[in-house]
Amino acid sequence: MSTSVHDEALALLRDMVRVRRFEERCVELYSAAKIRGFLHLYVGEEAVAAGVMRALAPDDAVVATYREHGHALLRGVSARSIMAEMYGKLEGCSHGRGGSMHLFDVAHRFYGGNAIVGGGLPVAVGLALAEQMQTTGRVVACFFGEGTVAEGEFHESMNLAALWRLPVVFCCENNLYAMGTALARSESETDIALKASSYEMPAWPVDGMDVLAVRDAARHAVEAVRGGGGPHLLELRTYRFRAHSMYDPDLYRDKAEVARWKERDPIPALIQQAQIAQDDVDGIESDAKAEIDDAVAFAEQGTDEPVADLTRFVTSEIGRT
Amino acid sequence: MSTSVHDEALALLRDMVRVRRFEERCVELYSAAKIRGFLHLYVGEEAVAAGVMRALAPDDAVVATYREHGHALLRGVSARSIMAEMYGKLEGCSHGRGGSMHLFDVAHRFYGGNAIVGGGLPVAVGLALAEQMQTTGRVVACFFGEGTVAEGEFHESMNLAALWRLPVVFCCENNLYAMGTALARSESETDIALKASSYEMPAWPVDGMDVLAVRDAARHAVEAVRGGGGPHLLELRTYRFRAHSMYDPDLYRDKAEVARWKERDPIPALIQQAQIAQDDVDGIESDAKAEIDDAVAFAEQGTDEPVADLTRFVTSEIGRT
Amino acid sequence: MSSVTYREACRQALRDALQRDPRVFLMGEDVGRYGGCFAVSMGLLDEFGPERIRDTPLSESAFVGAGIGAALGGMRPIVEIMTVNFSLLALDQILNNAATLLHMSGGQCNVPLVIRMATGGGRQVGAQHSHSLEGWYAHIPGLRILTPATVEDARGMLWPALEDPDPVLIFEHASLYGASAELSDDAGPVDLTRAALRRPGSDVTLVAYGGTVRVALEAAEALASQGIDAEVIDLRTLRPLDDETIVHSVRRTHRAVIVDEAWRSGSISAEIAARIMELAFFDLDEPVARVCSAEVPMPYARQLEDAALPSAPDVVAAAQRVCHG
Amino acid sequence: MSSVTYREACRQALRDALQRDPRVFLMGEDVGRYGGCFAVSMGLLDEFGPERIRDTPLSESAFVGAGIGAALGGMRPIVEIMTVNFSLLALDQILNNAATLLHMSGGQCNVPLVIRMATGGGRQVGAQHSHSLEGWYAHIPGLRILTPATVEDARGMLWPALEDPDPVLIFEHASLYGASAELSDDAGPVDLTRAALRRPGSDVTLVAYGGTVRVALEAAEALASQGIDAEVIDLRTLRPLDDETIVHSVRRTHRAVIVDEAWRSGSISAEIAARIMELAFFDLDEPVARVCSAEVPMPYARQLEDAALPSAPDVVAAAQRVCHG
Ligand SMILES: Cc1ncc(C[n+]2csc(CCOP(=O)(O)OP(=O)(O)O)c2C)c(N)n1
Ligand SMILES: Cc1ncc(C[n+]2csc(CCOP(=O)(O)OP(=O)(O)O)c2C)c(N)n1
Ligand SMILES: [Mg+2]
Ligand SMILES: [Mg+2]
């Protein structure tokens, strides 16, 4: 393995570990009632965001769902501002107004944090339309789950993007479940990549537990899209190791199934595949811990927005931009 | 040609002529301000409804669109009650409340007359669900245009029907235009039958200007559906000879294109193909004229519903059925 | 009598309906295997099987429309939309089909469909998951809108809703599921037509529904200690509104405060205020007051959400204003 | 000055915006080749090309959402939803995204989007094509709701709507497109913040908007001949409402009638009535009256549709009642 390849593997490992540890800390903080509301974790799926984000340029745009801590973090939104957001503090990336499901950071072109299933897809299509009309050469990455494929907005958005050859990469995170509903109980045809043919859109399935495979597929797709090849769909096959949200008793999955998937945990898989030394792993782990400790400390010292400001952000405070 | 085959051709011709002449009379009546509101004509597309209706049993259900005079008529709803409806009379099949776009006749299991593009599809799926749960062996035929395929409800309905293997035949009337929008400007993939593969649903294209081909395809599909084969999609390739509605100046189509399609008029085509004698044609024509004259006379003598009854039919007058 | 939660009462009502009428079935997202997003239908899949407890794909428009079709086809569907926040995706089916088919067909196509959904804020789930739109839905002719505020109504409203030949929407306030109350073991259907007097009083009428009934009751207690005797009306049904009960009360108290969790402008509180004025103007000593949610998408931060929602102190203050001018 | 139709005024406004700002584009169903369902955008495709006059597939949710995204991405989209009747299919995008993104993002994601749609009844197009929902939309925080009732406003409201950093919905009453009026050749942007006094008067305030303004004006003429001097206010903007102009008038006339084409219950007429009561209760001699549409899906039959809609005689009768008790 060349140095640069090894360095990239290290970087991807760092990405995944940061997300994993961040999510685990969130669980603790939720139990301690520091974080409230809904909390959807990305544990097990880290390779997807890690691989895709590496394929994007800094000024490409990202649209994600309520399960988006990892996407925000790997997009460059600081752990501090994400954690402060989950604490509901003024220093949060959404000013404490959004919470876990609504992380936003326009400076990093991170457009949320959408919690209506399917609701982000048309927005991503529109962002891509803006890029196209302004000939920026930028690309939009849009994340959503396999359960979303049943929504009408998936269909409408795929068609519109393909019809107008818009620069979007649709990243379907197929973790096999939408809350408690298994894919086979929500789709008559469970091959998601195949559905892209209805729109004449290139698409293929990717092993979403293999971060290198995800990165390669995403690079391929992003390049094609940026080159004017029209939208692409990636079906990233993955699994969530934890329940849908903190409210979910997780009664609908076979423990053995979960255990089987955990054997394919993308973090040890990468360590093994890229032969990453334990020292390197330890360094990454301690960096991650330090980063998250710092984020928590930052959030703990965050400011509660005064109640007098309640009705801010309903309409813009500035004039036309 | 055997007698029974010839008889069937005659019957199909009669169906198509009845619709054609009915529609033509509607144009006159619209000009005379007897019919108001929107008026969408089926001229040119008669082979589709004629062929499909022949394949249905009397207790199968039908869901159609705002372009549904022909469907209602061939389903067995009387010309009288349809015409009276367009006159807004109490004797109309919808009590004068619906008008041209909202013909209903539950006795003939004709469930409208839906004027929101795509709005009828979920309802048809639900009717089919009711048939399945009550194991009636009945089938639901659902008509809609190719423009409808872009709507989210098309996608959701196809998936739900296929997932639950419901007894629906989706009849897509591909007349190449949705108002002024040509198929190629609304779908990235213009092969509509192909889209059914996203749902693992059998589908095929049919020459919608050939009433015998439509009938055969519909019989095949209806039999398969009734036999438990799950929903089917027929893409019926046809053309409307007239404008979208009476408001449409029809500026978006090439006159030559319209002329080319008129050469494929399903009525003369059938006369020729089935070698129907001029006498028979004349008889059918005069019967149709008589039927429509009678319908107009009936409508002319219809009753205006008293204004005092305005708020009827907002909630049911009877108790639970 | 036994102590029953609102959630259990909803479940009992479902079980009862499923047992009584073979045409009844439940469908929606995660109602089966998962047991319902709020655990309302937990256990029903085992009891009634997948034909009658149907998990649907994420396709709000299609499965609500399928409920309409199934109702037309002779079934008695109960469609669960997980929460009101997602119901907008099915609004075309609700307004243009469910509420309209009877009329468009000249009386032929009644739609005996029940749609249940969770509603309301207060759980820090943010701007897309905290809507209170039941009063907004009450604008639509052809619908009946129910807002059970008590365990008894959670238990008793479903059956009469299913007996209604026309579409009924039931809004269950998500923060009520855990509330419990004594319920008679043979509790059953309740009358839907009348608002309920939850607390008699003579000085001011507090009008509430769904999630705000307990806010109004709490305020009434606080007011009592200040010598103001508040009457609390639980509307129960938002469409059609029971004008008579409201006006009857206001004629006696001469003052009214409406407590509504919806955004103020265009909320049903406005309709109620307008009707009180239309029907009892000369009985009023003071203008009708409204305590509603702030006109802001729901913020995540606790202190902001608390401030956005109508609270008992807000109601107390409003009642004091109308009582003392 | 020249005589211009409402339709032409809408078109001039579009052309002007497209010329002034390269970020502006129009998209919707049949806005291009067909020239717009109501011929509003006729000719614009030739003038501005298919990049800026975009025909969309029948996908209301996707193209409205795409408008939101394009607005976030630096464009100034004008999305046409053919009629309000189809807007329900896009309501989730409008409410949960367009109106909410700014707030959820803590002020980062303003959505400078304009959505135009035709609204209203009166053309015998039946229950699914005759909705009047602009007042209903006015319930949603984060939206600005415009209802141009005059040729001048049809011409002048679009540009300031595009200048608004937040989403604006413009409702054009379909029955107005053919109406014409004199318009100055250099007519341009109008102020959006104030309601307009369309007719001064001293005995009763008639409050109207969009399609009902001419009904109110017609009623005012009839009332004048009966010795009742009616003032007519055209709200122009339904959110935010210009309380001041309304209250200022009612303080003088002591009587008000609201004329609203929406179904009565939960219409914006209720909000206006409630506000008048809240802000000017002791100035009122009589309860505020409302003349609205009957609460029925729109019937096709002419005489029934006529009866369902608010008419000048209805307004006259209501005004007489509030003036003579
Ligand atoms: C329109 C809508 N319907 C239902 C929900 C409730 N809900 C939230 S997440 C979820 C499951 C989504 O599954 P999927 O798209 O596979 O994403 P995953 O959670 O697996 O990442 C559901 C049903 C919602 N938020 N929006
Ligand atoms: C949801 C919705 N959007 C737009 C319209 C306006 N409209 C009526 S018919 C029509 C074209 C539909 O085309 P298609 O489905 O191909 O059917 P066709 O009219 O060709 O039979 C449109 C856009 C509508 N009625 N409903
Ligand atoms: Mg999933
Ligand atoms: Mg068509």
Side-chain angles (χ1 to χ4, degrees):
Chain A
M1 205 179 291
S2 76
T3 328
S4 77
V5 169
H6 190 72
D7 285 354
E8 235 192 292
L10 275 182
L12 286 166
L13 179 65
R14 182 179 297 275
D15 288 349
M16 292 196 291
V17 168
R18 288 172 68 216
V19 175
R20 177 72 55 92
R21 302 307 163 225
F22 189 91
E23 297 294 63
E24 287 167 349
R25 189 70 62 90
C26 286
V27 177
E28 290 170 26
L29 294 166
Y30 198 89
S31 305
K34 298 287 188 176
I35 301 175
R36 308 304 301 266
F38 285 135
L39 183 69
H40 305 86
L41 301 173
Y42 202 55
V43 175
E45 309 187 39
E46 295 90 343
V48 173
V52 174
M53 293 302 169
R54 286 276 153 191
L56 297 178
D59 56 356
D60 289 335
V62 175
V63 174
T65 70
Y66 46 86
R67 194 184 299 290
E68 90 289 29
H69 312 159
H71 306 76
L73 197 61
L74 300 187
R75 187 56 194 166
V77 185
S78 74
R80 284 184 163 200
S81 74
I82 299 175
M83 193 58 86
E85 186 59 35
M86 304 224 250
Y87 270 64
K89 301 294 184 183
L90 208 48
E91 293 79 4
C93 59
S94 303
H95 219 261
R97 300 275 174 155
S100 158
M101 301 198 291
H102 304 302
L103 305 177
F104 284 82
D105 190 343
V106 169
H108 290 91
R109 304 212 74 217
F110 192 78
Y111 290 98
N114 197 303
I116 302 296
V117 167
L121 277 78
V123 175
V125 168
L127 280 162
L129 176 61
E131 305 299 5
Q132 187 192 62
M133 292 184 80
Q134 296 168 109
T135 59
T136 59
R138 294 171 183 161
V139 162
V140 180
C142 178
F143 294 86
F144 55 91
E146 89 298 334
T148 310
V149 169
E151 292 280 4
E153 289 192 316
F154 166 79
H155 174 72
E156 295 187 2
S157 300
M158 292 283 283
N159 181 48
L160 196 60
L163 184 69
W164 291 351
R165 296 185 70 76
L166 301 177
V168 200
V169 185
F170 292 102
C171 302
C172 178
E173 304 181 311
N174 180 1
N175 62 12
L176 296 173
Y177 290 86
M179 284 186 61
T181 301
L183 178 57
R185 285 186 302 112
S186 87
E187 289 289 327
S188 54
E189 168 57 70
T190 54
D191 184 337
I192 294 195
L194 180 148
K195 291 171 199 277
S197 65
S198 281
Y199 317 101
E200 247 196 9
M201 191 189 295
W204 60 93
V206 183
D207 180 353
M209 303 310 262
D210 177 348
V211 70
L212 300 172
V214 173
R215 181 206 55 191
D216 291 344
R219 277 198 184 143
H220 188 84
V222 168
E223 265 168 45
V225 170
R226 209 185 300 284
H232 281 54
L233 169 74
L234 296 178
E235 179 196 343
L236 302 143
R237 296 187 173 165
T238 182
Y239 200 79
R240 64 171 155 72
F241 291 174
R242 291 184 167 265
H244 169 73
S245 74
M246 299 305 285
Y247 287 123
D248 171 13
D250 207 347
L251 304 173
Y252 46 83
R253 301 192 296 189
D254 194 7
K255 297 278 166 280
E257 178 185 297
V258 180
R260 257 194 328 275
W261 276 94
K262 283 190 175 167
E263 284 167 20
R264 305 204 42 226
D265 189 327
I267 293 178
L270 177 66
I271 293 173
Q272 201 181 7
Q273 197 187 343
Q275 299 174 8
I276 299 177
Q278 190 58 42
D279 269 7
D280 289 334
V281 175
D282 291 347
I284 286 171
E285 289 283 4
S286 70
D287 288 353
K289 184 172 183 314
E291 180 186 14
I292 296 162
D293 286 345
D294 169 70
V296 173
F298 177 80
E300 286 282 348
Q301 284 159 34
T303 320
D304 287 338
E305 193 174 6
V307 161
D309 286 349
L310 174 61
T311 57
R312 283 189 72 187
F313 310 131
V314 180
T315 53
S316 290
E317 290 165 14
I318 42 105
R320 189 183 196 188
T321 49
Chain B
M1 203 179 292
S2 75
T3 326
S4 76
V5 168
H6 190 72
D7 285 355
E8 235 192 292
L10 275 182
L12 286 166
L13 179 66
R14 181 178 298 275
D15 288 351
M16 293 196 292
V17 167
R18 289 173 68 216
V19 175
R20 176 72 55 92
R21 302 306 164 224
F22 189 91
E23 296 293 63
E24 287 167 350
R25 189 68 64 90
C26 285
V27 176
E28 291 170 25
L29 294 165
Y30 198 88
S31 306
K34 298 289 188 177
I35 301 175
R36 306 307 301 266
F38 285 136
L39 183 69
H40 305 86
L41 301 172
Y42 201 54
V43 176
E45 309 188 38
E46 296 89 344
V48 174
V52 174
M53 293 302 168
R54 286 277 152 190
L56 298 178
D59 56 356
D60 289 336
V62 175
V63 174
T65 71
Y66 46 85
R67 195 184 299 290
E68 89 290 29
H69 312 159
H71 307 75
L73 197 61
L74 300 188
R75 187 54 194 167
V77 185
S78 74
R80 285 184 161 202
S81 75
I82 299 174
M83 193 58 86
E85 185 59 34
M86 304 223 250
Y87 271 65
K89 302 294 182 184
L90 209 47
E91 294 78 5
C93 59
S94 304
H95 220 261
R97 300 273 174 158
S100 159
M101 300 198 292
H102 304 302
L103 305 176
F104 284 83
D105 190 343
V106 169
H108 290 91
R109 303 212 75 214
F110 191 79
Y111 291 98
N114 197 303
I116 302 296
V117 167
L121 277 78
V123 175
V125 168
L127 280 161
L129 176 60
E131 304 300 3
Q132 186 192 62
M133 291 184 80
Q134 296 168 111
T135 60
T136 60
R138 294 170 184 163
V139 163
V140 180
C142 177
F143 293 86
F144 56 90
E146 89 298 332
T148 311
V149 169
E151 291 280 4
E153 288 191 316
F154 166 81
H155 174 71
E156 295 188 2
S157 300
M158 292 283 284
N159 181 49
L160 195 60
L163 184 69
W164 290 351
R165 296 185 69 76
L166 300 177
V168 200
V169 185
F170 292 101
C171 301
C172 179
E173 304 180 312
N174 181 0
N175 62 11
L176 295 173
Y177 290 87
M179 285 187 60
T181 301
L183 178 57
R185 286 186 302 114
S186 87
E187 289 289 327
S188 53
E189 168 58 69
T190 56
D191 184 339
I192 297 199
L194 181 148
K195 292 171 199 276
S197 65
S198 282
Y199 317 101
E200 246 196 10
M201 192 190 295
W204 60 94
V206 183
D207 180 355
M209 302 310 263
D210 177 348
V211 70
L212 299 173
V214 173
R215 180 206 55 192
D216 291 346
R219 277 198 184 141
H220 188 85
V222 168
E223 263 167 45
V225 170
R226 208 184 301 283
H232 281 54
L233 169 74
L234 295 178
E235 179 195 343
L236 303 144
R237 296 186 173 165
T238 182
Y239 201 78
R240 62 171 156 72
F241 291 174
R242 292 185 164 265
H244 169 73
S245 75
M246 299 303 286
Y247 287 123
D248 171 13
D250 206 347
L251 303 173
Y252 46 82
R253 301 193 295 190
D254 195 6
K255 297 280 166 276
E257 177 185 297
V258 180
R260 256 194 326 278
W261 276 94
K262 282 190 174 166
E263 283 167 24
R264 304 202 44 223
D265 189 327
I267 293 178
L270 178 64
I271 294 173
Q272 200 181 7
Q273 197 186 344
Q275 299 173 8
I276 299 177
Q278 190 58 42
D279 268 9
D280 288 336
V281 175
D282 291 347
I284 286 171
E285 288 283 3
S286 70
D287 288 355
K289 184 173 182 314
E291 180 186 14
I292 296 162
D293 286 345
D294 169 71
V296 172
F298 178 80
E300 286 283 347
Q301 284 158 36
T303 319
D304 287 337
E305 193 174 6
V307 162
D309 286 349
L310 175 60
T311 56
R312 282 189 71 187
F313 311 131
V314 180
T315 53
S316 290
E317 291 166 13
I318 40 106
R320 188 185 198 185
T321 47
Chain C
M1 296 288 272
S2 49
S3 175
V4 167
T5 63
Y6 187 94
R7 171 182 291 109
E8 286 159 357
C10 291
R11 189 184 307 139
Q12 282 181 22
L14 287 168
R15 182 182 291 118
D16 184 29
L18 286 155
Q19 283 168 347
R20 275 165 89 149
D21 188 338
R23 298 173 305 176
V24 170
F25 67 100
L26 174 68
M27 70 174 156
E29 292 163 8
D30 284 312
V31 297
R33 291 265 183 116
Y34 191 97
C37 176
F38 296 95
V40 167
S41 49
M42 192 72 81
L44 296 183
L45 175 64
D46 286 343
E47 195 172 341
F48 297 98
E51 270 282 295
R52 299 185 70 199
I53 306 294
R54 292 185 165 257
D55 281 322
T56 64
L58 300 189
S59 307
E60 285 78 5
S61 198
F63 69 73
V64 168
I68 295 168
L72 289 176
M75 303 299 291
R76 288 296 178 275
I78 303 170
V79 172
E80 175 175 312
I81 302 180
M82 200 178 266
T83 76
V84 67
N85 312 287
F86 319 139
S87 71
L88 302 172
L89 292 165
L91 190 53
D92 175 65
Q93 286 295 332
I94 295 172
L95 198 165
N96 278 317
N97 282 339
T100 305
L101 278 163
L102 177 71
H103 184 266
M104 288 195 301
S105 64
Q108 294 175 80
C109 293
N110 66 303
V111 180
L113 167 68
V114 173
I115 303 178
R116 298 170 46 238
M117 45 189 138
T119 187
R123 299 175 306 128
Q124 278 194 269
V125 290
Q128 293 183 328
H129 276 69
S130 303
H131 295 307
S132 291
L133 298 176
E134 49 272 37
W136 205 47
Y137 272 100
H139 180 52
I140 305 172
L143 300 182
R144 182 186 294 275
I145 306 291
L146 306 180
T147 54
T150 63
V151 168
E152 193 192 357
D153 277 351
R155 174 66 184 86
M157 281 183 160
L158 181 64
W159 184 252
L162 284 162
E163 283 190 304
D164 191 318
D166 302 314
V168 179
L169 272 55
I170 306 182
F171 292 85
E172 299 162 8
H173 199 287
S175 69
L176 294 178
Y177 285 123
S180 53
E182 291 296 307
L183 189 68
S184 136
D185 295 329
D186 60 354
V190 294
D191 171 42
L192 301 180
T193 61
R194 306 310 302 250
L197 211 68
R198 295 290 179 211
R199 184 189 196 282
S202 54
D203 295 334
V204 57
T205 303
L206 308 181
V207 181
Y209 65 89
T212 58
V213 171
R214 52 181 185 171
V215 177
L217 286 169
E218 196 186 322
E221 288 310 309
L223 287 164
S225 70
Q226 297 167 28
I228 296 178
D229 186 21
E231 178 147 304
V232 176
I233 291 177
D234 171 4
L235 292 170
R236 301 180 66 242
T237 296
L238 301 190
R239 185 180 186 96
L241 278 172
D242 174 11
D243 295 340
E244 214 180 301
T245 300
I246 302 168
V247 168
H248 184 77
S249 172
V250 173
R251 288 237 160 86
R252 285 187 290 101
T253 63
H254 310 292
R255 295 169 174 87
V257 177
I258 305 161
V259 195
D260 188 342
E261 194 181 304
W263 295 308
R264 182 188 183 93
S265 294
S267 65
I268 199 162
S269 70
E271 179 63 30
I272 299 162
R275 291 197 189 187
I276 292 174
M277 172 158 55
E278 283 159 2
L279 299 169
F281 184 70
F282 297 103
D283 294 296
L284 284 172
D285 284 351
E286 288 283 330
V288 174
R290 298 188 284 162
V291 177
C292 303
S293 277
E295 305 211 28
V296 57
M298 197 60 80
Y300 165 68
R302 159 66 70 204
Q303 78 281 7
L304 296 180
E305 176 166 51
D306 285 347
L309 292 166
S311 69
D314 297 337
V315 179
V316 168
Q320 285 170 333
R321 269 195 310 276
V322 298
C323 289
H324 305 309
Chain D
M1 295 290 272
S2 49
S3 175
V4 168
T5 63
Y6 187 95
R7 173 183 291 110
E8 287 159 356
C10 290
R11 190 184 307 138
Q12 282 182 22
L14 287 168
R15 182 181 293 118
D16 185 30
L18 286 155
Q19 283 169 346
R20 275 165 90 148
D21 188 338
R23 299 173 305 176
V24 169
F25 67 101
L26 174 68
M27 70 174 156
E29 291 163 8
D30 284 313
V31 296
R33 292 262 182 118
Y34 191 96
C37 176
F38 296 96
V40 167
S41 50
M42 191 74 80
L44 297 183
L45 175 63
D46 287 341
E47 195 171 341
F48 297 99
E51 271 282 295
R52 299 185 69 201
I53 307 295
R54 292 186 165 256
D55 281 320
T56 64
L58 301 189
S59 308
E60 285 78 5
S61 198
F63 69 73
V64 168
I68 296 167
L72 289 177
M75 302 299 291
R76 287 294 177 279
I78 304 170
V79 172
E80 175 176 313
I81 301 178
M82 199 178 268
T83 75
V84 66
N85 312 287
F86 319 139
S87 71
L88 303 173
L89 291 164
L91 191 52
D92 174 65
Q93 286 295 331
I94 296 172
L95 199 165
N96 278 318
N97 282 337
T100 306
L101 277 163
L102 177 70
H103 185 265
M104 288 195 302
S105 65
Q108 294 176 81
C109 293
N110 65 302
V111 181
L113 167 68
V114 173
I115 303 178
R116 297 170 47 237
M117 48 190 137
T119 187
R123 300 176 304 128
Q124 279 195 269
V125 291
Q128 291 182 329
H129 277 70
S130 303
H131 296 306
S132 291
L133 299 176
E134 50 273 37
W136 206 46
Y137 272 100
H139 179 53
I140 305 173
L143 301 182
R144 182 186 294 275
I145 306 292
L146 306 180
T147 54
T150 65
V151 169
E152 191 192 359
D153 277 351
R155 175 66 184 86
M157 281 182 160
L158 181 65
W159 184 253
L162 283 163
E163 284 191 303
D164 192 317
D166 301 314
V168 179
L169 272 54
I170 305 182
F171 292 87
E172 300 161 10
H173 198 286
S175 70
L176 294 178
Y177 285 122
S180 54
E182 291 297 306
L183 189 69
S184 136
D185 295 328
D186 60 355
V190 294
D191 171 43
L192 301 179
T193 59
R194 306 309 302 250
L197 212 69
R198 297 290 179 210
R199 185 190 197 282
S202 54
D203 295 334
V204 58
T205 303
L206 307 182
V207 181
Y209 67 88
T212 58
V213 171
R214 51 179 186 175
V215 177
L217 286 169
E218 195 186 323
E221 289 310 309
L223 288 164
S225 70
Q226 297 168 28
I228 296 177
D229 186 21
E231 178 146 306
V232 176
I233 291 176
D234 171 4
L235 291 172
R236 302 179 68 241
T237 297
L238 301 190
R239 185 178 186 97
L241 279 172
D242 174 11
D243 294 342
E244 215 181 298
T245 300
I246 302 168
V247 168
H248 184 78
S249 173
V250 173
R251 287 237 161 85
R252 284 186 295 101
T253 63
H254 310 294
R255 295 169 173 84
V257 177
I258 305 161
V259 194
D260 188 342
E261 194 182 304
W263 296 307
R264 182 187 185 91
S265 295
S267 65
I268 198 160
S269 70
E271 179 63 30
I272 299 162
R275 290 197 190 187
I276 293 174
M277 172 158 56
E278 284 159 1
L279 300 168
F281 183 70
F282 296 103
D283 294 297
L284 283 173
D285 284 350
E286 287 284 331
V288 175
R290 296 188 283 162
V291 177
C292 303
S293 278
E295 306 212 25
V296 56
M298 197 60 79
Y300 165 68
R302 159 67 69 202
Q303 77 282 6
L304 297 180
E305 178 166 51
D306 285 347
L309 292 166
S311 68
D314 297 338
V315 178
V316 168
Q320 286 171 333
R321 268 196 311 277
V322 299
C323 288
H324 303 310

